[in-house]
Amino acid sequence: SRKLLPDGTRLRGDINVLMLGDPSTAKSQFLKFVERVAPVGVYTSGKGSSAAGLTASVVRDQRGEFYLEGGAMVLGDGGVVCIDEFDKMRE
């Protein structure tokens, strides 16, 4: 969330980081480490996710009823969301 300091300075609330690098340079391991050490952290891979699934998904329970389940962006609210292999994510 955005903050306004007493001297009038405005601080941006969200920090976004994009990591790029050559194959086999431990980017995935770094993301998994960040997810483990963050107080609120969620890790997901683009291979098993869709763009819509980052926010919510519809799930059927054992009785056959449908309900909404929060995705990675919802579960990681106020914390860190690590999305690995973003380029392999389904539409």
XYZ file of all heavy atoms in Angstrom:
678
model
N 0.841 -1.180 0.000
C 0.000 0.000 0.000
C 0.885 1.241 0.000
O 1.997 1.233 0.501
C -0.931 -0.007 1.197
O -0.176 0.082 2.380
N 0.360 2.299 -0.525
C 1.113 3.545 -0.603
C 1.132 4.233 0.746
O 0.185 4.138 1.514
C 0.492 4.466 -1.640
C 0.581 3.877 -3.016
C -0.016 4.787 -4.031
N 0.037 4.112 -5.322
C -0.020 4.729 -6.459
N -0.175 6.025 -6.513
N 0.051 4.054 -7.576
N 2.230 4.927 1.013
C 2.373 5.621 2.289
C 2.705 7.079 2.029
O 3.410 7.412 1.092
C 3.486 4.982 3.116
C 3.190 3.573 3.538
C 4.306 3.015 4.369
C 3.995 1.582 4.749
N 5.051 0.978 5.525
N 2.208 7.925 2.896
C 2.511 9.347 2.863
C 3.233 9.692 4.160
O 2.659 9.573 5.245
C 1.229 10.178 2.721
C 1.408 11.682 2.633
C 2.226 12.059 1.408
C 0.056 12.365 2.603
N 4.492 10.062 4.041
C 5.284 10.400 5.222
C 4.922 11.776 5.736
O 4.365 12.603 5.006
C 6.775 10.334 4.864
C 7.288 8.967 4.394
C 8.762 9.053 4.065
C 7.037 7.913 5.452
N 5.236 12.083 7.007
C 4.888 13.388 7.592
C 5.466 14.581 6.826
O 4.872 15.653 6.813
C 5.485 13.317 9.001
C 5.551 11.872 9.313
C 5.802 11.181 8.012
N 6.613 14.376 6.154
C 7.205 15.497 5.412
C 6.621 15.640 4.003
O 7.058 16.468 3.222
C 8.729 15.344 5.323
C 9.151 14.120 4.518
O 8.278 13.337 4.104
O 10.368 13.958 4.314
N 5.600 14.840 3.671
C 4.927 14.946 2.378
C 5.470 14.015 1.302
O 4.951 13.982 0.198
N 6.494 13.260 1.630
C 7.061 12.325 0.672
C 6.121 11.144 0.481
O 5.600 10.593 1.447
C 8.434 11.810 1.162
O 9.284 12.923 1.418
C 9.073 10.894 0.141
N 5.926 10.744 -0.763
C 5.068 9.599 -1.062
C 5.945 8.396 -1.383
O 6.903 8.499 -2.140
C 4.173 9.886 -2.256
C 3.168 10.961 -1.990
C 2.386 11.274 -3.258
N 1.590 12.461 -3.056
C 0.270 12.451 -3.100
N -0.381 11.347 -3.351
N -0.390 13.556 -2.901
N 5.602 7.265 -0.776
C 6.321 6.030 -1.034
C 5.419 5.073 -1.796
O 4.256 4.889 -1.443
C 6.758 5.357 0.277
C 7.765 6.114 1.130
C 8.059 5.322 2.396
C 9.040 6.349 0.356
N 5.967 4.481 -2.828
C 5.226 3.492 -3.601
C 5.131 2.210 -2.783
O 6.085 1.782 -2.149
C 5.947 3.237 -4.911
C 5.247 2.261 -5.779
C 5.974 2.111 -7.088
N 5.347 1.029 -7.818
C 5.939 0.338 -8.748
N 7.168 0.626 -9.075
N 5.320 -0.628 -9.359
N 3.989 1.552 -2.829
C 3.780 0.385 -2.003
C 4.292 -0.916 -2.578
O 4.713 -1.795 -1.846
N 4.259 -1.093 -3.881
C 4.609 -2.368 -4.485
C 5.938 -2.282 -5.221
O 6.207 -1.307 -5.918
C 3.534 -2.813 -5.471
C 2.191 -3.025 -4.817
O 2.183 -3.437 -3.650
O 1.163 -2.783 -5.467
N 6.736 -3.300 -5.056
C 7.995 -3.411 -5.781
C 7.888 -4.627 -6.686
O 7.566 -5.731 -6.226
C 9.185 -3.571 -4.822
C 9.290 -2.347 -3.922
C 10.472 -3.799 -5.600
C 10.339 -2.488 -2.837
N 8.133 -4.450 -7.974
C 8.091 -5.545 -8.935
C 9.509 -5.784 -9.448
O 10.231 -4.842 -9.766
C 7.177 -5.205 -10.107
C 5.764 -4.955 -9.644
O 5.150 -5.826 -9.068
N 5.266 -3.756 -9.873
N 9.891 -7.057 -9.535
C 11.225 -7.422 -9.994
C 11.079 -8.456 -11.101
O 10.338 -9.427 -10.957
C 12.075 -8.015 -8.846
C 13.425 -8.457 -9.344
C 12.210 -7.004 -7.724
N 11.793 -8.256 -12.206
C 11.834 -9.219 -13.293
C 13.259 -9.728 -13.390
O 14.193 -8.948 -13.578
C 11.419 -8.573 -14.613
C 11.545 -9.432 -15.867
C 10.603 -10.631 -15.784
C 11.254 -8.611 -17.104
N 13.425 -11.047 -13.216
C 14.764 -11.642 -13.306
C 14.916 -12.317 -14.659
O 14.102 -13.163 -15.034
C 14.963 -12.691 -12.209
C 15.115 -12.103 -10.861
S 15.435 -13.296 -9.535
C 15.843 -14.795 -10.315
N 15.950 -11.927 -15.374
C 16.272 -12.540 -16.657
C 17.675 -13.091 -16.577
O 18.532 -12.534 -15.908
C 16.207 -11.503 -17.787
C 14.860 -10.821 -18.011
C 15.010 -9.704 -19.023
C 13.835 -11.818 -18.481
N 17.927 -14.178 -17.284
C 19.277 -14.722 -17.296
C 19.377 -15.949 -18.166
O 18.380 -16.502 -18.630
N 20.578 -16.361 -18.385
C 20.847 -17.551 -19.180
C 20.324 -18.787 -18.468
O 20.143 -18.792 -17.248
C 22.358 -17.693 -19.411
C 22.908 -16.590 -20.298
O 22.154 -16.111 -21.169
O 24.077 -16.205 -20.118
N 20.087 -19.860 -19.229
C 19.664 -21.115 -18.601
C 20.708 -21.605 -17.594
O 21.899 -21.333 -17.733
C 19.557 -22.082 -19.777
C 19.357 -21.213 -20.970
C 20.109 -19.946 -20.684
N 20.252 -22.294 -16.577
C 21.107 -22.907 -15.547
C 21.904 -21.891 -14.741
O 23.058 -22.119 -14.389
C 22.059 -23.919 -16.190
O 21.341 -24.936 -16.821
N 21.275 -20.755 -14.428
C 21.938 -19.755 -13.575
C 21.221 -19.596 -12.235
O 21.313 -18.554 -11.604
C 22.049 -18.394 -14.289
O 20.748 -17.982 -14.727
C 22.983 -18.465 -15.469
N 20.473 -20.607 -11.826
C 19.852 -20.701 -10.500
C 18.744 -19.683 -10.250
O 18.478 -19.316 -9.118
C 20.905 -20.608 -9.413
N 18.059 -19.253 -11.290
C 16.937 -18.329 -11.101
C 15.793 -19.018 -10.340
O 15.234 -18.441 -9.417
C 16.438 -17.809 -12.450
C 17.462 -16.977 -13.211
C 16.939 -16.502 -14.545
C 16.585 -17.622 -15.501
N 17.674 -18.442 -15.994
N 15.456 -20.243 -10.715
C 14.370 -20.968 -10.046
C 14.701 -21.243 -8.586
O 13.851 -21.102 -7.706
C 14.090 -22.289 -10.764
O 13.630 -22.040 -12.077
N 15.927 -21.633 -8.317
C 16.336 -21.897 -6.942
C 16.271 -20.627 -6.111
O 15.885 -20.661 -4.930
C 17.750 -22.487 -6.896
C 17.821 -23.920 -7.341
C 17.831 -24.063 -8.866
O 17.855 -23.064 -9.587
N 17.784 -25.275 -9.354
N 16.633 -19.490 -6.691
C 16.564 -18.222 -5.976
C 15.116 -17.885 -5.638
O 14.811 -17.466 -4.516
C 17.197 -17.105 -6.798
C 17.158 -15.772 -6.121
C 17.968 -15.512 -5.032
C 16.291 -14.790 -6.556
C 17.927 -14.288 -4.388
C 16.238 -13.566 -5.916
C 17.054 -13.315 -4.840
N 14.188 -18.077 -6.594
C 12.771 -17.803 -6.330
C 12.228 -18.705 -5.227
O 11.476 -18.254 -4.359
C 11.951 -17.982 -7.603
C 12.141 -16.931 -8.684
C 11.328 -17.303 -9.916
C 11.764 -15.561 -8.190
N 12.599 -19.974 -5.248
C 12.145 -20.898 -4.205
C 12.704 -20.506 -2.840
O 12.016 -20.614 -1.821
C 12.550 -22.330 -4.556
C 11.764 -22.866 -5.731
C 12.238 -24.250 -6.127
C 11.518 -24.721 -7.384
N 11.994 -26.023 -7.839
N 13.939 -20.017 -2.804
C 14.530 -19.548 -1.554
C 13.773 -18.328 -1.027
O 13.446 -18.257 0.166
C 16.006 -19.212 -1.759
C 16.641 -18.553 -0.577
C 17.006 -19.301 0.533
C 16.861 -17.189 -0.554
C 17.577 -18.702 1.640
C 17.428 -16.578 0.543
C 17.796 -17.335 1.643
N 13.478 -17.374 -1.903
C 12.741 -16.171 -1.501
C 11.376 -16.552 -0.946
O 10.940 -16.022 0.078
C 12.596 -15.198 -2.702
C 11.603 -14.093 -2.392
C 13.944 -14.618 -3.073
N 10.699 -17.505 -1.575
C 9.390 -17.938 -1.098
C 9.474 -18.550 0.298
O 8.601 -18.355 1.129
C 8.812 -18.959 -2.095
C 7.414 -19.406 -1.774
C 7.356 -20.850 -1.338
O 8.295 -21.604 -1.580
O 6.333 -21.221 -0.735
N 10.567 -19.267 0.570
C 10.722 -19.903 1.889
C 11.052 -18.903 2.996
O 10.601 -19.053 4.128
C 11.818 -20.972 1.834
C 11.377 -22.258 1.195
C 12.339 -23.403 1.490
N 13.739 -23.065 1.280
C 14.411 -23.245 0.139
N 13.804 -23.768 -0.899
N 15.680 -22.903 0.044
N 11.841 -17.878 2.706
C 12.265 -16.953 3.758
C 11.306 -15.779 3.958
O 11.366 -15.114 4.989
C 13.699 -16.415 3.511
C 14.691 -17.548 3.474
C 13.780 -15.573 2.255
N 10.418 -15.533 3.008
C 9.472 -14.423 3.140
C 8.383 -14.789 4.153
O 7.945 -15.934 4.209
C 8.842 -14.104 1.790
N 7.940 -13.824 4.957
C 6.859 -14.093 5.905
C 5.584 -14.587 5.203
O 4.918 -15.490 5.676
C 6.609 -12.752 6.582
C 7.856 -11.981 6.383
C 8.452 -12.458 5.093
N 5.252 -13.977 4.088
C 4.132 -14.426 3.253
C 4.703 -14.630 1.864
O 5.111 -13.673 1.205
C 2.994 -13.378 3.203
C 1.897 -13.838 2.262
C 2.444 -13.120 4.587
N 4.772 -15.867 1.424
C 5.367 -16.148 0.129
C 4.644 -17.264 -0.596
O 4.228 -18.251 0.002
N 4.465 -17.088 -1.904
C 3.819 -18.087 -2.744
C 4.692 -18.284 -3.978
O 5.130 -17.314 -4.599
C 2.404 -17.630 -3.176
C 1.770 -18.636 -4.117
C 1.531 -17.408 -1.977
N 4.947 -19.544 -4.327
C 5.716 -19.887 -5.518
C 4.811 -20.637 -6.479
O 4.082 -21.540 -6.078
C 6.911 -20.764 -5.154
C 7.672 -21.279 -6.359
C 8.691 -20.533 -6.920
C 7.359 -22.502 -6.930
C 9.392 -20.992 -8.023
C 8.042 -22.975 -8.031
C 9.062 -22.219 -8.573
O 9.742 -22.681 -9.671
N 4.838 -20.261 -7.740
C 4.101 -20.991 -8.762
C 4.926 -21.003 -10.030
O 5.764 -20.124 -10.254
C 2.707 -20.376 -9.010
O 1.985 -21.229 -9.900
C 2.804 -19.001 -9.609
N 4.690 -22.018 -10.830
C 5.411 -22.154 -12.092
C 4.453 -21.914 -13.247
O 3.286 -22.315 -13.192
C 6.011 -23.554 -12.199
O 6.586 -23.745 -13.467
N 4.950 -21.270 -14.281
C 4.131 -21.021 -15.459
C 3.699 -22.288 -16.157
O 2.692 -22.307 -16.857
N 4.447 -23.371 -15.963
C 4.082 -24.639 -16.602
C 2.743 -25.156 -16.107
O 1.979 -25.735 -16.853
C 5.155 -25.696 -16.331
C 6.431 -25.486 -17.080
C 7.401 -26.605 -16.769
C 8.710 -26.431 -17.498
N 9.667 -27.482 -17.141
N 2.444 -24.963 -14.829
C 1.216 -25.493 -14.249
C 0.160 -24.448 -13.985
O -0.823 -24.732 -13.316
N 0.339 -23.239 -14.490
C -0.598 -22.152 -14.198
C -1.113 -21.521 -15.480
O -0.494 -21.618 -16.526
C 0.092 -21.053 -13.385
O 0.589 -21.540 -12.179
N -2.234 -20.866 -15.346
C -2.736 -20.026 -16.434
C -2.796 -18.599 -15.908
O -2.754 -18.367 -14.702
C -4.125 -20.485 -16.879
O -5.057 -20.257 -15.851
N -2.892 -17.647 -16.813
C -2.960 -16.247 -16.395
C -4.180 -16.014 -15.511
O -4.106 -15.316 -14.504
C -2.996 -15.340 -17.617
N -5.310 -16.632 -15.851
C -6.516 -16.477 -15.045
C -6.366 -17.187 -13.706
O -6.874 -16.722 -12.692
C -7.725 -17.032 -15.787
N -5.646 -18.302 -13.677
C -5.473 -19.066 -12.449
C -4.628 -18.370 -11.407
O -4.628 -18.770 -10.244
N -3.910 -17.323 -11.782
C -3.129 -16.568 -10.800
C -4.030 -15.813 -9.841
O -3.647 -15.537 -8.716
C -2.187 -15.587 -11.497
C -1.019 -16.202 -12.238
C -0.225 -15.110 -12.935
C -0.125 -16.999 -11.313
N -5.233 -15.474 -10.279
C -6.146 -14.718 -9.425
C -7.152 -15.619 -8.715
O -7.361 -15.491 -7.523
C -6.893 -13.646 -10.236
O -7.549 -14.273 -11.339
C -5.939 -12.589 -10.733
N -7.793 -16.522 -9.446
C -8.780 -17.423 -8.846
C -9.068 -18.574 -9.794
O -8.790 -18.498 -10.980
C -10.079 -16.679 -8.538
N -9.649 -19.627 -9.245
C -10.065 -20.759 -10.069
C -11.342 -21.347 -9.488
O -11.639 -21.207 -8.304
C -8.975 -21.826 -10.131
O -8.702 -22.321 -8.849
N -12.095 -22.003 -10.340
C -13.325 -22.670 -9.923
C -12.984 -24.131 -9.650
O -12.383 -24.802 -10.479
C -14.413 -22.561 -11.007
C -15.659 -23.334 -10.603
C -14.744 -21.108 -11.282
N -13.362 -24.620 -8.478
C -13.033 -25.975 -8.062
C -14.317 -26.703 -7.685
O -15.232 -26.108 -7.105
C -12.069 -25.943 -6.841
C -11.707 -27.334 -6.393
C -10.825 -25.140 -7.173
N -14.376 -27.985 -8.016
C -15.527 -28.812 -7.625
C -15.133 -29.635 -6.403
O -14.108 -30.306 -6.407
C -15.925 -29.735 -8.762
C -17.167 -30.558 -8.443
C -17.532 -31.494 -9.544
N -17.961 -30.727 -10.699
C -18.567 -31.234 -11.750
N -18.798 -32.532 -11.813
N -18.930 -30.478 -12.744
N -15.952 -29.585 -5.362
C -15.648 -30.350 -4.146
C -16.164 -31.786 -4.272
O -16.699 -32.187 -5.306
C -16.189 -29.650 -2.903
C -17.703 -29.567 -2.858
O -18.362 -30.199 -3.704
O -18.228 -28.874 -1.977
N -16.036 -32.556 -3.207
C -16.400 -33.979 -3.223
C -17.900 -34.197 -3.412
O -18.329 -35.238 -3.896
C -15.940 -34.649 -1.934
C -14.445 -34.645 -1.793
C -13.996 -35.061 -0.409
O -14.769 -35.048 0.535
N -12.719 -35.408 -0.294
N -18.706 -33.215 -3.023
C -20.163 -33.330 -3.185
C -20.635 -32.876 -4.557
O -21.816 -32.885 -4.846
C -20.859 -32.501 -2.110
C -20.577 -32.977 -0.703
C -21.278 -32.124 0.296
N -20.935 -30.718 0.066
C -20.769 -29.813 1.012
N -20.918 -30.150 2.254
N -20.466 -28.579 0.715
N -19.706 -32.413 -5.397
C -20.066 -31.960 -6.740
C -20.416 -30.491 -6.820
O -20.815 -30.004 -7.879
N -20.257 -29.756 -5.731
C -20.557 -28.329 -5.728
C -19.321 -27.545 -6.125
O -18.193 -27.936 -5.863
C -21.037 -27.894 -4.347
C -22.339 -28.557 -3.934
C -22.784 -28.133 -2.550
O -22.136 -27.260 -1.943
O -23.790 -28.686 -2.074
N -19.549 -26.397 -6.766
C -18.464 -25.553 -7.228
C -18.213 -24.414 -6.241
O -19.149 -23.914 -5.605
C -18.798 -24.956 -8.601
C -18.864 -25.982 -9.691
C -20.077 -26.525 -10.075
C -17.714 -26.397 -10.326
C -20.145 -27.467 -11.079
C -17.766 -27.334 -11.334
C -18.983 -27.876 -11.715
N -16.961 -24.005 -6.129
C -16.614 -22.840 -5.314
C -15.349 -22.194 -5.877
O -14.619 -22.799 -6.652
C -16.434 -23.213 -3.840
C -15.290 -24.159 -3.560
C -14.044 -23.676 -3.180
C -15.450 -25.530 -3.673
C -12.998 -24.532 -2.930
C -14.413 -26.394 -3.416
C -13.183 -25.889 -3.044
O -12.139 -26.737 -2.795
N -15.121 -20.958 -5.504
C -13.935 -20.228 -5.947
C -12.794 -20.465 -4.971
O -12.988 -20.444 -3.758
C -14.203 -18.720 -6.014
C -14.935 -18.227 -7.251
C -15.202 -16.733 -7.123
C -14.165 -18.513 -8.509
N -11.620 -20.658 -5.516
C -10.419 -20.822 -4.702
C -9.416 -19.752 -5.131
O -9.189 -19.554 -6.323
C -9.847 -22.215 -4.931
C -8.690 -22.557 -4.042
C -8.283 -24.000 -4.220
O -7.477 -24.256 -5.138
O -8.774 -24.846 -3.471
N -8.841 -19.061 -4.171
C -7.892 -18.003 -4.474
C -6.631 -18.537 -5.141
O -6.126 -19.593 -4.784
N -6.130 -17.788 -6.096
C -4.905 -18.158 -6.783
C -3.681 -17.573 -6.086
O -3.754 -17.042 -4.980
N -2.536 -17.654 -6.767
C -1.268 -17.221 -6.178
C -1.274 -15.738 -5.811
O -0.768 -15.360 -4.753
C -0.117 -17.519 -7.141
N -1.857 -14.905 -6.638
C -1.856 -13.466 -6.351
C -2.704 -13.145 -5.125
O -2.379 -12.249 -4.360
C -2.364 -12.680 -7.566
C -1.507 -12.852 -8.806
S 0.161 -12.225 -8.608
C -0.132 -10.491 -8.703
N -3.776 -13.874 -4.926
C -4.638 -13.669 -3.753
C -3.944 -14.198 -2.499
O -3.904 -13.525 -1.461
C -5.997 -14.360 -3.953
C -6.843 -14.272 -2.699
C -6.723 -13.748 -5.137
N -3.385 -15.404 -2.591
C -2.739 -16.011 -1.424
C -1.488 -15.239 -1.002
O -1.121 -15.239 0.172
C -2.376 -17.463 -1.718
C -3.571 -18.382 -1.997
C -3.085 -19.755 -2.423
C -4.464 -18.476 -0.790
N -0.822 -14.599 -1.951
C 0.401 -13.870 -1.640
C 0.189 -12.394 -1.367
O 1.151 -11.627 -1.316
N -1.047 -11.974 -1.171
C -1.347 -10.559 -0.935
C -0.578 -10.042 0.275
O -0.607 -10.643 1.344
C -2.841 -10.373 -0.718
C -3.224 -8.918 -0.591
O -2.625 -8.087 -1.292
O -4.121 -8.612 0.209
N 0.113 -8.953 0.103
C 0.905 -8.375 1.183
C 2.244 -9.053 1.373
O 2.962 -8.753 2.317
N 2.582 -9.950 0.494
C 3.845 -10.678 0.599
C 4.547 -10.763 -0.741
O 4.510 -9.827 -1.528
N 5.145 -11.914 -0.998
C 5.925 -12.127 -2.209
C 5.255 -13.213 -3.046
O 4.916 -14.274 -2.530
C 7.367 -12.577 -1.861
C 8.155 -12.869 -3.109
C 8.058 -11.529 -1.022
N 5.049 -12.929 -4.321
C 4.550 -13.929 -5.266
C 5.652 -14.175 -6.282
O 6.059 -13.265 -6.992
C 3.265 -13.460 -5.976
C 2.806 -14.499 -6.983
C 2.172 -13.174 -4.981
N 6.155 -15.406 -6.324
C 7.231 -15.777 -7.243
C 6.628 -16.602 -8.366
O 6.101 -17.690 -8.135
C 8.299 -16.595 -6.519
S 9.065 -15.730 -5.151
N 6.703 -16.085 -9.600
C 6.174 -16.793 -10.762
C 7.355 -17.195 -11.624
O 8.021 -16.357 -12.228
C 5.197 -15.911 -11.562
C 4.097 -15.379 -10.650
C 4.616 -16.704 -12.724
C 3.221 -14.333 -11.293
N 7.619 -18.491 -11.678
C 8.741 -19.014 -12.446
C 8.262 -19.401 -13.843
O 7.110 -19.796 -14.016
C 9.331 -20.226 -11.721
C 10.707 -20.586 -12.219
O 11.313 -19.807 -12.966
O 11.187 -21.670 -11.847
N 9.123 -19.284 -14.814
C 8.824 -19.656 -16.201
C 7.553 -18.990 -16.706
O 6.651 -19.624 -17.242
C 8.766 -21.177 -16.341
C 10.086 -21.822 -15.984
C 10.077 -23.314 -16.151
O 9.018 -23.898 -16.492
O 11.142 -23.922 -15.949
N 7.518 -17.695 -16.551
C 6.355 -16.878 -16.940
C 6.041 -17.048 -18.412
O 4.884 -16.997 -18.816
C 6.653 -15.405 -16.609
C 5.446 -14.548 -16.509
C 4.658 -14.566 -15.378
C 5.095 -13.704 -17.551
C 3.538 -13.766 -15.279
C 3.973 -12.905 -17.450
C 3.192 -12.939 -16.320
N 7.058 -17.256 -19.240
C 6.853 -17.379 -20.684
C 6.124 -18.662 -21.069
O 5.542 -18.744 -22.135
C 8.186 -17.312 -21.410
C 9.160 -18.399 -20.974
O 9.152 -18.746 -19.782
O 9.928 -18.881 -21.822
N 6.097 -19.655 -20.203
C 5.438 -20.930 -20.500
C 4.000 -20.979 -19.977
O 3.337 -21.989 -20.083
C 6.242 -22.086 -19.919
C 7.589 -22.227 -20.592
C 8.395 -23.316 -19.956
C 9.717 -23.492 -20.641
N 10.644 -22.395 -20.479
N 3.519 -19.869 -19.440
C 2.171 -19.820 -18.880
C 1.125 -19.865 -19.984
O 1.284 -19.240 -21.035
C 1.987 -18.537 -18.062
C 0.710 -18.488 -17.290
S 0.647 -17.049 -16.233
C 1.996 -17.402 -15.155
N 0.056 -20.616 -19.736
C -1.056 -20.691 -20.695
C -1.882 -19.422 -20.606
O -1.945 -18.757 -19.585
C -1.946 -21.883 -20.374
C -1.245 -23.203 -20.479
C -2.204 -24.299 -20.092
N -2.867 -23.939 -18.834
C -2.991 -24.731 -17.793
N -2.521 -25.922 -17.842
N -3.582 -24.334 -16.700
N -2.539 -19.102 -21.698
C -3.416 -17.923 -21.738
C -4.532 -18.163 -20.815
O -5.205 -17.818 -20.140
C -3.948 -17.696 -23.143
C -2.867 -17.420 -24.127
C -2.300 -16.013 -24.044
O -3.039 -15.093 -23.717
O -1.112 -15.856 -24.294
